[in-house]
Amino acid sequence: AADAPTRPAGGRSLDIVGADGSWVIVTTDGGKPREIFLKKGQTINEPYTDKIEIRLGNPSSVIFRHDGQEYPLSTQRGEVKSIRFPNPAPNP
């Protein structure tokens, strides 16, 4: 627990689990993007205050855990996807 990131006061966090070897680009609260390699089965915890965006390159497969929910996301060769938390409300 000593090396776990600290959650900002009033902040939230997102767990990112590598379902295979995947590169992700993480941007928290509009800051500088960071590129992270996740090994299969590895989990990282990313704290944030207002919003977090993760971009997946190709091919990638990760599972996001946020507010008690799991969100699997995969990309195919030549495909790039982004996901943001908190998720925007769907349009009616």
Side-chain angles (χ1 to χ4, degrees), residues 71-86:
Y71 303 89
L73 185 64
S74 296
T75 59
Q76 302 299 319
R77 185 176 190 95
E79 181 179 31
V80 176
K81 289 184 183 177
S82 293
I83 188 167
R84 292 174 184 85
F85 293 95

Side-chain angles (χ1 to χ4, degrees), residues 7-64:
R7 183 183 288 196
R12 304 167 93 177
S13 67
L14 173 71
D15 286 337
I16 307 171
V17 182
D20 62 10
S22 300
W23 286 100
V24 295
I25 298 173
V26 178
T27 306
T28 55
D29 300 316
K32 183 178 177 182
R34 293 181 299 120
E35 192 170 323
I36 301 169
F37 181 75
L38 284 167
K39 297 177 185 174
K40 183 176 182 174
Q42 179 183 9
T43 300
I44 61 169
N45 179 273
E46 289 292 324
Y48 70 98
T49 302
D50 294 317
K51 63 183 176 181
I52 186 168
E53 179 178 356
I54 301 90
R55 290 185 49 193
L56 278 73
N58 61 20
S60 292
S61 183
V62 298
I63 300 168
F64 300 104

